[in-house]
């Protein structure tokens, strides 16, 4: 017995001494502490596509273009640009930018970055955002020319997400090392990465623009929302992500902290699989649309943070038609239609979801459909399985599904094309006329004509109901009252746009 | 004369000792090392010896619960090693065993009647009704009330449990019973009752016994012939009276001298 | 059969108990037992399982299991009451003036400790001995109990020793502080006859050397006859007969003793004949019969026996029996 | 009351309260449709998170309403049904499989025994959560699959106990004799082994029952439990923990019930263990 | 003894290979990470490109053969999601798990075992009932719930301890305590049973007859003798603690392997899951081995005679 405890003590002592490093306190009042859900998967801006990485690396790297707080596309590395033809754009590159190691950022680096991310061999998860770019080259005058396969009006919206990496350094360090200790040109420099714990950034005092007030910033991984709330209220962190309206209510009730929110370009919707028995009847799909009370969802459940929408877009998108209401809430009409459909409407419908989504909404939707007489069974699986099921052939995919779509481009093409075009694996619609509409809207360079095309598509959706648009999702953060910051629709955390109040 | 029920010829039972990483057999424990004797119908052969002398292993080997390493065991003159499976099953019915500890010899969750009827069931003897009647008879035979059948072992005293074990051993009408220290664990006043029962059964049913014991006074009382064993070998063998009156081997004499006299 | 050492007879008994009662869960297991042991004598307490003989021994040394407790009676050691002593005072007494050995010698030793250290433990608690002195005394004691090469044996663990050897170690452990009373609870039951003889002889030798008294608990009449001076026969929680071994064995005055002696097969008795058995079984603690507890099995029982328990009464010089009909025994039961 | 002393011996009065708690929960589970005041799945999005005692549209929310305005009391009553059924069935399934495999492994020995016991090692060495997630991913989600997952990950514990106990019993004279006389393997296992190892198995059962309730709660916490809106205590608790400071009742009541349930099972399990091991 | 160990080790290696294969194929039956990695609306070409880039388009047996070949060279591969060597990720997470599980084990054993001894010695003492009530209560709460309560009480309201993370040494206190509650009752129970078992053995009575007090007897004899069941339970409980760490680490944002497990499974980061499984299996084998060695340290019968 004594022997056992003695051995254990010895083992623990050994463990403690080796742990002295990671556990050493780094107390520092000048740091901004942000609690994310998870740690970044990678800090190579071309190698991942997820919010927790995005939040961090956007502060390390500059992009070709960016959006201001109002959501307008503005210059960053490119100071100005010129549309040479429908398929060619020439960018002028800022000449006063240096990477964190001191080397200057050149047009070569811009071209390298474009080629790197568009190379299928490289395997970037962001490939499809940029695959319309067919060529990038440095012109004789030092400007950069990008060529697209066809006219591509969403190009600028996509380029907002293109981070510029230093060619020489990346090639020298190699992929793995660069991933571990990335070097960019942004307002913050990579400092440290304690796996599973936190990523530390320090301010780039040589930044060409405004680097913001924080000498250092720490992004921590705190998976449990309740724990993030506890961290914030106890003062252990200054800003936390991933709040929902109920947690926001908790923050409201606590001293010194508040929820901060913004409407995003994320649209929540109920997808309806037109290829399944019963649901192949447009009347039943219409009935489903009539059964959903968006206002109640938003007001009753989502605390009014979100914004009901009647089209598969948000006001933050190009392609949003002001005043288009979509299918109205009308349970009586829904019941009437269901009665008309008769027997095929009586089978139980499967409703796929994943723990990632707000389960209250899914259950509320189930209830609403139940109230008009449909039987709906929720099938919750983890996200990977959910995605796999959603991507399976339409005939095997679930009857209903809940989704929250973001293209991170604030352009209708990024939403409607993948969700409705028959070539897309995300779509369960196979309609030739619609395909033509989507294709022309995608490459139409005249904004008014383009808007008109999207109007037609919205009408088609309202008639055919492949999806029931629900609401424009809000993103809710919890922030210390000391922190001054207004979140934007594109869900970015730009440290240099934040500050301490007083 | 008649053939012996059991005839043991140069019986050897060796247990391997394994050692080393590969578990090679490096030596053997010679538990039984050359034992021979005959058991005639209606007679009692006793095997005496101290712990570790190999007397119980001999009993198990005769019973067939332990494979001999060498030597032969003849049942009614026929070598068991050459019997077919069904013949073996048949010989099994002719030999039965009573263990030392009546507690572990009975399934604590089975009623006395079920325990007694088990050999009948396994061998598929009679109908359920026949078996019930047989159990009643057996209870009478071993001097237990018929009402005992429905009770569980824990409701009986040690002596009564041993009676149930004996009844079970008699269920298939054996010709010989191997008694492995069958009275050693019993109280003095009960021991004599069970010994008397053995004697009665022998005269009534013509049973033969192989009586394994360390208790020389008990053995002297019940046995016709005696084998004295030590470390796997028989040191002395002969009719009971001869052994007790004129023990030839030094070890037998030591054993006799050690018995406390009343 | 040993004669009673004459010079000790008149002295205060080493140990005596009167009207000892022990209960388990409300049932008496020992029901008014009185005993006394003189210095240098061996008293055998004999009886069948469940008669309360081991409980009596454990009660005397106050090591009863949790469920059992002393519910009455007095115990005196050299005239001094010990039944009221505190646990702490008893600890000082045990191993010092009172020692005990048990039935299963191997299991009675801590399997994880070398035997030498276990013997030393009995010594090292109170005395101010140096470790070298302790060592010498342990080795010396091992030699006295007849263990060869004590230096090697002392370092060995119980599992490396035979049962007889373990009992020798137990005896060494018990005798190392020269107790005035050794309680031996079935010390040879688990051993082979040849080893039994050696152990009994060893105990006798040590008793003579040290003058300790011995309380020998056994179920074996043979052991009693060979190694005790006096005997007390127990049945169902009570002593039914007590006296010198010679008297009791030659002329038992209680039907139980008489029948028990006849029922054991003897090396000089008849062979292959029915033994004169005692009918019935030892009764369970929970339903001991009223009156004389032996009456359901007794051929001499009368209504009087069933109604009233006989007291232990003298039937000769230091020979007592608890039977209403002790005068009929000689004629009707032998 | 002749049975009373016997009852007191087997079940001392200080444990009656735990039996009563369990009995009430089982009763609530059995009679859920009769005693639940509301439909446990009926939402009222305008009456969310109302404190206990709130009256709203003729409905009194005795224990308050949950995050979707459902009656918490009704959900807890139906939740008892789900939690107890999941635990009971998974214990039954894993107990049966484990006990059978353990007995067979011990009895047959040889390579079959080795394979079974190595399988036990394998399943024990893989984190239960990992197996659970993968199994749910393959089988799909749902009530039945939760039970399947629990059974699949827990049977080795029974197998180990059954194996050890069977090995111990196999050499007892009555088993050896029965086997020697030619009794068939099923006969020996069912007549001689099983009745005598059921005690130790029951000890595992009581311990596992409490654990299974907790496991189901853990799966719910990870989003892999029973499907919403089916209420299980674990599911209610894991959503409720987000509202500890704003709507304490959603987390406190299921937490309390879960605690009382497992505590009762544990206390009674300890008692069963003591009785089985003859320590009382 | 050594023969036994070698055989056990060989069987263990076979078991590990079995586990690895089982998990390898089971995982791949449950989909691949490609869809989780790509952005919403990614074109089929982009999805296919990434899939082929990560090698998931090859036949499963080929993937398995490759994996095993790498493994034979002690190469655990690269994280699919993080694109860094798996070994590096495990190395950075492992110390935290050892630290947490070790502290929890120490707490569970340090509180549970003495309590068990006390309960065995003083069965009816009110304190032993109170103590058992406490550990049973601790075992009856789901950790994801008691964790939140602990945080709210000790970190938010009282402010004594950090809410989460592994920033300071005292950060481990709350999660370790929360985790230890799972095992404390088990240790108390097993210790109590083991000590009671020993106390009923003849050598205890013999030791008392020598004049040792109950306390001395327990300290000198019973404790050591009851160590074996406690050791074997400890080996099992460490495995349980590692499993329980999955939830506790999530609640307390503790950067150990538990959190990594759940994240990697959710992300279908196969190589990491494989590595964790491998580690888990190796650890459980090492624990059994350590338990065997401890047995022999405690028990001369095993040490000197190789009885097992």
């Amino acid at each position: 017995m004594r022997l056992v405890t003695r051995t254990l003590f010895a083992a623990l002592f050994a463990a403690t001494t080796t742990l002295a490093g990671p556990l050493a306190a780094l107390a520092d009042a000048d740091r901004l502490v942000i609690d994310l859900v998870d740690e970044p998967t990678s800090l190579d801006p071309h190698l991942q596509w997820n919010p927790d990485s995005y939040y961090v690396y956007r502060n390390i790297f500059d992009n070709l273009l960016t959006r201001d707080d109002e959501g307008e596309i503005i210059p960053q590395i490119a100071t100005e640009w010129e549309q040479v033809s429908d398929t060619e754009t020439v960018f002028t590159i800022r000449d006063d930018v240096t990477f964190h190691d001191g080397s200057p950022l050149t047009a070569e680096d811009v071209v390298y970055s474009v080629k790197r991310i568009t190379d299928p061999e490289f395997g970037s998860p962001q490939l499809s955002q940029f695959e319309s770019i067919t060529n990038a080259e440095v012109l004789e005058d030092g400007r950069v020319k990008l060529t697209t396969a066809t006219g591509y009006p969403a190009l600028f919206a996509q380029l907002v997400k293109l981070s510029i990496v230093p060619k020489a350094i990346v090639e020298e360090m190699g992929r793995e090392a660069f991933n571990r200790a990335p070097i960019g040109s942004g307002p913050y420099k990579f400092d440290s990465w304690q796996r599973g714990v936190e990523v530390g950034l320090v301010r780039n005092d040589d930044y060409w623009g405004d680097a913001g007030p924080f000498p250092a910033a720490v992004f921590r991984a705190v998976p449990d929302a309740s724990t993030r709330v506890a961290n914030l209220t106890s003062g252990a962190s200054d800003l936390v992500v991933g709040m929902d309206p109920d947690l926001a209510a908790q923050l409201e009730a606590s001293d010194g902290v508040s929820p901060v929110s913004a409407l995003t370009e994320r649209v929540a919707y109920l997808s309806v699989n037109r290829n399944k028995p019963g649901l192949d009847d447009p009347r039943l799909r219409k009935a489903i649309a009539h059964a959903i009370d968006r206002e109640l969802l938003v007001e009753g459940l989502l605390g009014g943070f979100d914004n009901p929408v009647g089209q598969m877009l948000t006001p933050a998108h190009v392609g949003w038609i002001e005043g288009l209401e979509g299918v109205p809430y009308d349970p009586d009409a829904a019941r009437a239609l269901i009665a008309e459909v008769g027997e095929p409407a009586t089978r139980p419908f499967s409703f796929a979801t994943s723990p990632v989504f707000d389960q209250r909404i899914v259950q509320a939707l189930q209830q609403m459909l139940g109230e008009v007489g449909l039987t709906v069974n929720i099938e919750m699986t983890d996200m990977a399985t959910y995605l796999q099921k959603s991507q399976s052939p339409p005939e095997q995919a679930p009857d209903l599904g809940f989704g929250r779509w973001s293209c991170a481009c604030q352009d209708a093409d990024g939403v409607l094309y993948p969700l409705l075009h028959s070539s897309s694996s995300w779509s369960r619609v196979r309609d030739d006329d619609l395909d033509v509409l989507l294709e022309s809207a995608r490459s139409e360079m005249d904004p008014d004509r383009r808007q008109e095309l999207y109007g037609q598509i919205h009408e088609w959706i309202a008639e055919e109901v492949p999806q029931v648009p629900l609401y424009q999702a809000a993103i809710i953060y919890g922030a210390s009252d000391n922190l001054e910051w207004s979140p934007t629709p594109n869900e970015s955390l730009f440290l240099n746009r934040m500050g301490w109040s007083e | 004369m008649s053939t012996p029920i059991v005839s043991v010829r140069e019986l050897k039972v060796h247990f391997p000792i394994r050692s080393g990483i590969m578990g090679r057999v490096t030596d053997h424990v010679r538990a039984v090392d050359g034992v021979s004797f005959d058991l005639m119908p209606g007679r009692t052969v006793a095997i005496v010896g101290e712990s570790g002398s190999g007397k119980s292993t001999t009993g198990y080997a005769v019973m067939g619960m332990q494979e001999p390493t060498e030597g032969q065991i003849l049942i009614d003159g026929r070598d068991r090693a050459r019997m077919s499976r069904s013949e073996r099953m048949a010989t099994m019915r002719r030999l039965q065993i009573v263990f030392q500890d009546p507690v572990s010899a009975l399934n604590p969750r089975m009623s006395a009647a079920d325990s007694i009827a088990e050999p009948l069931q396994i061998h598929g003897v009679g109908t359920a009704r026949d078996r019930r009647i047989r159990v009643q008879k057996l209870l009478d035979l071993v001097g237990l009330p018929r009402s005992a059948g429905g009770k569980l072992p824990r409701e009986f005293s040690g002596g009564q449990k041993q009676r149930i074990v004996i009844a079970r051993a008699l269920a298939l009408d054996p010709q010989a019973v191997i008694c492995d220290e069958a009275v050693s664990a019993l109280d003095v006043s009960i021991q004599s009752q069970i010994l008397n029962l053995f004697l009665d059964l022998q005269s009534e049913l013509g049973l033969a016994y192989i009586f394994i014991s360390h208790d020389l006074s008990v053995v002297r009382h019940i046995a016709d012939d005696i084998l004295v064993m030590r470390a796997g070998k028989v040191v002395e063998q002969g009719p009971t009276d001869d052994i007790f009156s004129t023990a030839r081997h030094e070890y037998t004499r030591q054993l006799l001298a050690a018995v406390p006299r009343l | 059969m040993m004669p009673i050492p004459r010079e000790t007879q008149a002295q205060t008994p080493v140990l005596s108990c009167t009207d000892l009662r022990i209960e388990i869960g409300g049932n008496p297991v020992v029901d008014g037992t009185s005993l006394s042991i003189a210095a240098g004598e061996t008293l055998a307490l004999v009886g069948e399982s469940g008669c309360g003989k081991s409980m009596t021994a454990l009660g005397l040394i106050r090591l009863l299991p949790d469920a059992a407790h002393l519910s009455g009676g007095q115990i005196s050691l050299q005239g001094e009451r010990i039944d009221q002593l505190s646990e702490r005072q008893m600890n000082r007494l045990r191993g010092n003036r009172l020692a005990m050995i048990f039935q299963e010698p191997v299991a009675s030793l801590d399997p994880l400790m070398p035997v030498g250290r276990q013997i030393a433990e009995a010594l090292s608690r109170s005395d101010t001995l140096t470790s070298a002195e302790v060592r010498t005394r342990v080795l010396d004691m091992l030699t006295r109990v007849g263990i060869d090469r004590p230096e090697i044996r002392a370092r060995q663990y119980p599992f490396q020793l035979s049962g007889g050897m373990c009992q020798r170690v137990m005896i060494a452990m018990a005798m190392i502080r020269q107790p005035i009373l050794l309680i031996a609870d079935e010390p040879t039951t688990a051993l082979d006859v040849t080893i039994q003889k050696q152990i009994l002889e060893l105990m006798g030798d040590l008793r003579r050397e040290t003058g300790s008294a011995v309380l020998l608990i056994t179920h074996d009449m043979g052991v009693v006859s060979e190694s005790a001076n006096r005997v007390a026969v127990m049945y169902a929680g009570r002593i039914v007969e007590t006296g010198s071994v010679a008297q009791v064995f030659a002329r038992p005055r209680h039907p139980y003793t008489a029948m028990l002696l006849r029922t054991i097969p003897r090396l000089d008795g008849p062979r292959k004949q029915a033994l004169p058995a005692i009918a019935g079984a030892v009764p369970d603690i929970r339903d001991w019969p009223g009156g004389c507890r032996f009456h359901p099995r007794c051929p001499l029982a009368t209504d009087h026996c069933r109604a009233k328990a006989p007291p232990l009464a003298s039937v000769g010089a230091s020979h007592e029996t608890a039977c209403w009909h002790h005068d009929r025994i000689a004629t009707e039961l032998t | 009351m002749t049975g009373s002393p016997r009852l007191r011996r087997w079940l001392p009065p200080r444990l009656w309260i735990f039996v009563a708690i369990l009995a009430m929960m089982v009763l609530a589970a059995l009679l859920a449709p009769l005693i639940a005041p509301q439909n446990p799945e009926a939402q009222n999005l305008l009456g969310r998170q109302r404190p206990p005692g709130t009256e709203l549209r003729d409905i009194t929310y005795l224990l308050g309403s949950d995050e979707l305005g459902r009656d918490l009391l009704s959900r807890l009553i139906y939740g008892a049904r789900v939690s107890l059924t999941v635990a009971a069935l998974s214990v039954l399934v894993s107990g049966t499989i484990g006990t059978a495999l353990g007995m067979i492994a011990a009895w047959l020995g040889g390579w079959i025994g080795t394979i079974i016991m190595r399988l036990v090692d394998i399943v024990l060495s893989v984190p239960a959560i990992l197996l659970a997630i993968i199994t749910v991913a393959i089988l799909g989600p749902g009530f039945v699959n939760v039970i399947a997952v629990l059974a699949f990950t827990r049977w080795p514990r029974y197998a180990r106990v059954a194996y050890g106990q069977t090995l111990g019993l196999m050499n007892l004279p009555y088993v050896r004799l029965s086997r020697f006389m030619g009794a068939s393997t099923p006969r020996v296992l069912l007549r001689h082994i099983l009745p005598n190892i059921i005690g130790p198995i029951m000890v595992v059962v009581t311990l596992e029952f409490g654990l299974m309730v907790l496991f189901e709660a853990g799966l719910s916490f990870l989003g892999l439990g029973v499907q919403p809106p089916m209420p299980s205590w674990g599911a209610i608790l894991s959503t409720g923990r987000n509202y500890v400071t704003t709507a304490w009742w959603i987390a406190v009541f299921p937490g309390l019930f879960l605690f009382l349930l497992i505590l009762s099972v544990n206390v009674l399990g300890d008692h069963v263990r003591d009785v089985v091991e003859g320590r009382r | 003894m050594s023969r036994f160990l070698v055989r056990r080790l060989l069987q263990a290696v076979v078991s590990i290979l079995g586990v690895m294969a089982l998990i390898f194929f089971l995982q791949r039956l449950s989909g691949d990470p490609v869809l989780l990695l790509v952005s919403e609306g990614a074109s089929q070409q982009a999805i296919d490109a990434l899939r082929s880039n990560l090698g998931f388009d090859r036949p499963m047996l080929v993937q398995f053969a490759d994996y095993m070949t790498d493994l034979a060279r002690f190469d655990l591969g690269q994280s699919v999601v993080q694109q860094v060597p798996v070994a590096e990720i495990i190395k950075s997470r492992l110390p935290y798990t050892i630290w947490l599980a070790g502290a929890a084990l120490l707490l569970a054993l340090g509180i549970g075992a003495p309590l068990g001894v006390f309960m065995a010695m003083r069965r009816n003492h009110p304190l032993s009932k109170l103590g058992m009530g406490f550990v049973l209560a601790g075992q009856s709460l789901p950790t994801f719930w008691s964790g939140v309560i602990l945080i709210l009480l000790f970190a938010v309201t009282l402010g004594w301890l950090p809410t989460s993370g592994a920033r300071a040494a005292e950060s481990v206190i709350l999660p370790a305590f929360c985790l230890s509650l799972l095992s404390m009752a088990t240790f108390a129970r097993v210790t109590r049973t083991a000590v009671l078992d020993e106390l009923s053995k003849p050598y205890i009575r013999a030791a008392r007859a020598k004049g040792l007090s109950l306390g001395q007897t327990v300290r000198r004899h019973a404790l050591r003798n009851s160590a074996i069941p406690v050791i074997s339970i400890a080996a099992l409980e460490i495995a349980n603690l590692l499993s329980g760490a999955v939830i506790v680490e999530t609640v307390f944002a503790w950067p150990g392997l538990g959190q990594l497990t759940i994240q990697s499974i959710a992300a279908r980061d196969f190589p990491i899951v494989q590595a964790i499984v491998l580690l888990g299996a190796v650890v459980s084998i090492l624990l059994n081995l350590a338990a065997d060695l401890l047995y022999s340290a405690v028990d001369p019968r095993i040490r000197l005679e190789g009885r097992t």
Side-chain angles (χ1 to χ4, degrees), chain A residues 23 121 131 195 198 227 231, chain E residues 43 53 82 163 167 251:
Chain A
L23 287 176
E121 287 296 301
E131 62 192 342
R195 291 267 160 202
E198 59 186 34
T227 311
N231 279 347
Chain E
S43 64
N53 195 280
Q82 303 203 16
T163 39
R167 182 162 281 277
V251 171

Side-chain angles (χ1 to χ4, degrees), chain A residues 375-399:
Chain A
T375 311
V376 173
N377 294 332
I378 294 177
E379 282 179 7
M380 183 154 72
T381 53
D382 76 328
M383 194 61 188
T385 316
Y386 168 83
L387 285 175
Q388 205 185 18
K389 283 206 300 193
S390 324
Q391 291 249 21
S392 51
E395 297 72 26
Q396 288 152 35
D399 298 318

Side-chain angles (χ1 to χ4, degrees), chain C residues 212-231:
Chain C
S212 312
V214 175
L215 176 62
L216 177 68
I217 317 284
T218 182
H219 69 278
D220 188 333
M221 287 297 192
V223 169
V224 176
S225 104
E226 293 217 334
S227 45
N229 310 109
R230 284 200 304 129
V231 61

Side-chain angles (χ1 to χ4, degrees), chain A residues 224-226 246-247 249-250 253 296-297 300-301 355 359-360 363-364 366-368 378-382 385, chain D residues 41-43 45-46 48-49 67-68 70 133 137 141 221-224 227-229 241-246:
Chain A
D224 188 33
S226 300
D246 289 332
L247 290 168
Q250 265 190 54
L296 182 63
L297 275 186
L301 203 53
Q359 289 317 299
R360 300 170 314 156
Q363 293 183 49
Q366 182 197 30
Q367 160 106 350
M368 288 171 180
I378 294 177
E379 282 179 7
M380 183 154 72
T381 53
D382 76 328
T385 316
Chain D
E41 295 180 8
Q43 303 168 6
L45 294 188
L46 298 174
R48 306 193 307 120
Q49 302 179 3
E67 75 280 1
L68 284 166
R70 296 172 292 206
I133 296 172
F221 172 71
L222 297 171
L224 300 167
Q227 292 296 299
R241 62 192 284 285
N242 286 328
Y243 309 106
V244 173
T245 54
T246 48

